Amino acid sequence: MVFDPAAAPRDRTEFLAWYRQQMKDAGDGSATTPALNAWYGDMCRTFPDMDSVELEASDDAGSYMTDYSSTTPHMIYAAFAWSVAEEAYALTRELAIRHQIGFFDVSATDGEILFPA
C-alpha cells in the first residue's frame, strides 16, 4: 500500500488504526493526490491495472495484472499475484521513494512503514 505521508500518522499503532479506517472507506480512488496518481501511472507500466486493460487469453502479462481497487484520496492498495510478489515489492517501494509518498508492506507480519525522508 502506498499513501499520502501528510495524511498518515507516524506512530505505528495510530498508523495501523488509520490504515484499517482507510480500508473501510476504500472506493474507486478517482481523487487521489498528484503524487499517488504519478506512482500509479509508473506502476501500471509494469503491473497493469486489471480493471482497465483487456488481455488476450494467451497474453503472458497475466501474472502482472494487478488489482488497484481499494483506494481513497490518501492511499492506494494494490494486490499482486504471488508469483511476482518480490518484483512488485521492490518496484512499489522504489517508486514510493521516487514520488515522495509513503509505503506500507501490508503482507508482512510486522510490515515496514516507510515515510519519505
Side-chain angles (χ1 to χ4, degrees):
M1 186 261 287
V2 292
F3 59 90
D4 174 2
R10 291 190 177 247
D11 174 79
R12 184 173 187 83
T13 301
E14 292 175 16
F15 179 89
L16 293 174
W18 176 84
Y19 162 73
R20 285 189 291 277
Q21 185 60 49
Q22 293 296 300
M23 292 303 290
K24 287 180 186 176
D25 296 341
D28 68 0
S30 58
T32 61
T33 68
L36 288 170
N37 279 328
W39 173 89
Y40 171 79
D42 284 351
M43 282 299 292
C44 284
R45 289 187 184 105
T46 303
F47 294 94
D49 188 331
M50 66 177 29
D51 291 331
S52 63
V53 176
E54 292 186 30
L55 293 176
E56 297 294 323
S58 62
D59 196 321
D60 291 333
S63 63
Y64 284 85
M65 297 305 291
T66 301
D67 181 5
Y68 297 96
S69 62
S70 299
T71 60
T72 72
H74 303 292
M75 70 102 182
I76 299 174
Y77 180 96
F80 302 95
W82 282 111
S83 61
V84 296
E86 288 182 27
E87 183 180 354
Y89 175 92
L91 186 60
T92 300
R93 192 176 189 283
E94 173 189 326
L95 291 176
I97 292 167
R98 181 180 305 160
H99 291 288
Q100 294 289 297
I101 58 176
F103 166 75
F104 174 40
D105 183 5
V106 176
S107 297
T109 302
D110 192 23
E112 173 186 26
I113 301 171
L114 176 71
F115 282 84

